[in-house]
Amino acid sequence: MGEAFLAGVLVLLVPQGVSQLGLEGGPQVIGIALVLVRRRFPAACAVALAALAGLQPAVALLTAVAGYTAVRRVETVRRCAGLLLVAAAAAMVTSTAFGALSGVSSSTFGLALGAVMALTAVIVPGLAGVARGQQDRLVRALRERAAAAEKARRLADSESRMRERSRIAAEMHDLVGHRLSLVSLHAGGLEMALDKAAPELRDEAALVRSATRDAMQELREALGVLGPLERDTGTEALTDATGTRADVEALVEESRSGGIPVELCWEGADLDARPARVRRAVHRVVRESLTNVHRYAAGAQVTVAVRHTGEQVTVRVRNGVPPAPPAASTGLGSGQGLTGLRERVALLGGALEAHREPGGGFAVVADIPAEPGPAAEATDAAPDGQEGAAALEEPGGGLSVMQRRLTGAVTGLLGLLGVGGVMGFGILLVASALPDATHRDPEGARLGMTRARVEDVVAADSDEVRAAAAGREPPRPGSATDCLYPRPDAEPEGRRLEIVRYCFRSDTLIAIDRFMVPLVTEKATEPPGRNRTHD
């Protein structure tokens, strides 16, 4: 419906005087029909409308719309150039042929008019369509590239989270497995002791040892779902002191020995009575933050603050501006270490925030529950950047989309008005440069018209005018079979009357003559050649 309305408006925008070349409303109707199907058959509609524009300039704006749409969809420059050349040639050929065969105008005028149509209705909109198509493809490629980069980042974050879960699984295996191993060991010793002291209880001890072994196996199978059990080794191995104040002080001292000025601030009781998963999270936050300082802010002043209250443990690691920028080889980092920390803290029901400080430097703040509930570990952290991915897929809200559409509509309307103005100016230039091509007289009659058409344009034959011209008119053309003497509209000049005579051969206008005749006083024998003109 919108396209039909636009097509009708475009046809009405064309001045009616441009379309008076012997055709009525047929080309406009055909042009509207072609515009409606231009998206399904873009190239064919563009060429067909260009040919119609050569016959009827009123279709030129529709040709501009179809040409812009067709070229915008073509991806290769060679195909765009071929389509524009074919459409321009169709406009010029049909205009030239119509001017030569119809008798309404000459072939020269038709060729000039076709050149104007080809330039304004085909070439200019086509070049605009080429530019817009390249812009659309560039924007599409950039969006696809950004989407691919976002997807790769999400995959890297997911891998980092899985690696952290695998590390957590290994820690759980080490902690719980160690306890189960002790239970199994003591159950075995109890079984041996009861074999002599109380044989009737030996089977109960054997059952405890067997249940412990089965529990160990089930633990391995359950934790294996989170991934391969990657265990820390060396100084990072899990111990009972991991995450305590002594462990954090050891991490700080290790950084000091590496040339980083680190200050430790501890508030509250030690963490030795807290669950191992809480202590391990504290250890990992401090260790990863100090590692990042060594990599990207060597020499910067660092503050490690641990605040332990009855319900929460807050860890804050902040570094100032480094005295020298990091080496180029270090890069900006991938950020996967922070993603793993965020996953670990989220599994405990806490939150981790990493941001740049307003005055420079970087800060990592983790809020960890001191006693995470049983449901905390089942909480899955939302993938970081997911909201950004959604924003990438839908770059704007409803208001921005409406604004873009309105801007496009206004731009298209202004472009069409510009094309129409340039086209009208070109037609006026052609008409003024070739005044003889249409063989027009002041009354609007043209050579080649039929007698009925001439009578419609001027007036019917007048017996009074024919009688006044008798004996005073110039000789008729030798091939003329009949002449028309309409009543003149102009007032007599003095005592003389100007008569316009239209002579026909086989019902076709071949000559238009103007001559003056006396009203009363002059004799009929006066030479008729005086003050006469022959067109």
Side-chain angles (χ1 to χ4, degrees), residues 170-488:
E171 296 170 2
M172 293 177 62
H173 178 272
D174 291 343
L175 289 172
V176 181
H178 175 66
R179 303 301 181 186
L180 291 177
S181 298
L182 291 178
V183 173
S184 178
L185 179 62
H186 288 292
L190 181 60
E191 181 182 1
M192 295 178 62
L194 292 178
D195 189 17
K196 296 180 180 179
E200 66 278 5
L201 298 178
R202 180 177 177 278
D203 293 338
E204 299 297 333
L207 181 61
V208 172
R209 185 168 56 85
S210 175
T212 304
R213 184 177 63 253
D214 294 341
M216 188 66 180
Q217 181 64 29
E218 292 175 358
L219 175 65
R220 291 193 180 97
E221 294 176 356
L223 297 180
V225 176
L226 297 177
L229 300 180
E230 300 178 358
R231 293 179 172 80
D232 294 333
T233 57
T235 58
E236 300 177 357
L238 181 65
T239 64
D240 292 338
T242 299
T244 60
R245 181 168 184 170
D247 178 59
V248 174
E249 290 177 348
L251 292 175
V252 169
E253 186 61 32
E254 183 179 356
S255 294
R256 289 173 181 168
S257 62
I260 303 295
V262 184
E263 180 182 353
L264 174 62
C265 178
W266 187 288
E267 297 181 15
D270 202 347
L271 299 177
D272 51 358
R274 295 303 179 184
R277 48 184 176 165
V278 174
R279 293 186 282 107
R280 186 62 173 173
V282 172
H283 173 90
R284 286 296 307 277
V285 170
V286 175
R287 188 183 69 184
E288 184 68 27
S289 300
L290 293 177
T291 301
N292 289 337
V293 172
H294 281 275
R295 290 178 179 176
Y296 313 118
Q301 182 69 35
V302 182
T303 301
V304 178
V306 180
R307 186 170 181 268
H308 178 204
T309 62
E311 299 180 354
Q312 185 170 291
V313 180
T314 301
V315 181
R316 178 183 178 90
V317 181
R318 183 191 179 281
N319 64 273
V321 180
S329 59
T330 62
L332 297 178
S334 62
Q336 303 308 312
L338 293 178
T339 302
L341 290 181
R342 190 175 289 110
E343 174 72 8
R344 176 182 288 269
V345 174
L347 288 174
L348 296 176
L352 183 138
E353 180 182 358
H355 60 272
R356 294 188 180 277
E357 294 287 284
F362 200 82
V364 178
V365 181
D367 295 324
I368 307 171
E371 292 290 341
E377 295 184 5
T379 303
D380 194 5
D384 187 35
Q386 196 170 20
E387 296 179 358
L392 180 63
E393 295 174 0
E394 297 181 1
L399 182 60
S400 61
V401 171
M402 183 179 299
Q403 290 177 346
R404 287 197 302 272
R405 290 180 178 177
L406 181 60
T407 303
V410 173
T411 304
L413 180 59
L414 293 178
L416 288 176
L417 292 178
V419 170
V422 174
M423 178 176 54
F425 182 71
I427 293 176
L428 291 178
L429 287 180
V430 171
S432 61
L434 300 173
D436 296 332
T438 57
H439 305 284
R440 291 180 180 266
D441 71 344
E443 288 76 18
R446 299 185 298 274
L447 299 180
M449 282 187 173
T450 62
R451 184 184 180 92
R453 181 65 175 169
V454 173
E455 290 180 352
D456 292 338
V457 173
V458 291
D461 190 43
S462 173
D463 293 336
E464 291 81 0
V465 177
R466 184 183 291 271
R472 296 178 177 85
E473 61 181 324
R476 296 182 178 182
S479 59
T481 58
D482 188 17
C483 291
L484 175 68
Y485 298 84
R487 184 179 297 276

Side-chain angles (χ1 to χ4, degrees), residues 68 72 128-142:
Y68 175 84
R72 183 177 174 181
V130 170
R132 183 56 185 273
Q134 291 180 348
Q135 180 183 5
D136 292 343
R137 288 187 288 275
L138 177 60
V139 172
R140 191 183 309 114
L142 290 177

Side-chain angles (χ1 to χ4, degrees), residues 48-65:
L49 281 169
L52 279 178
L55 298 177
Q56 180 66 288
V59 190
L61 289 182
L62 301 180
T63 305
V65 173

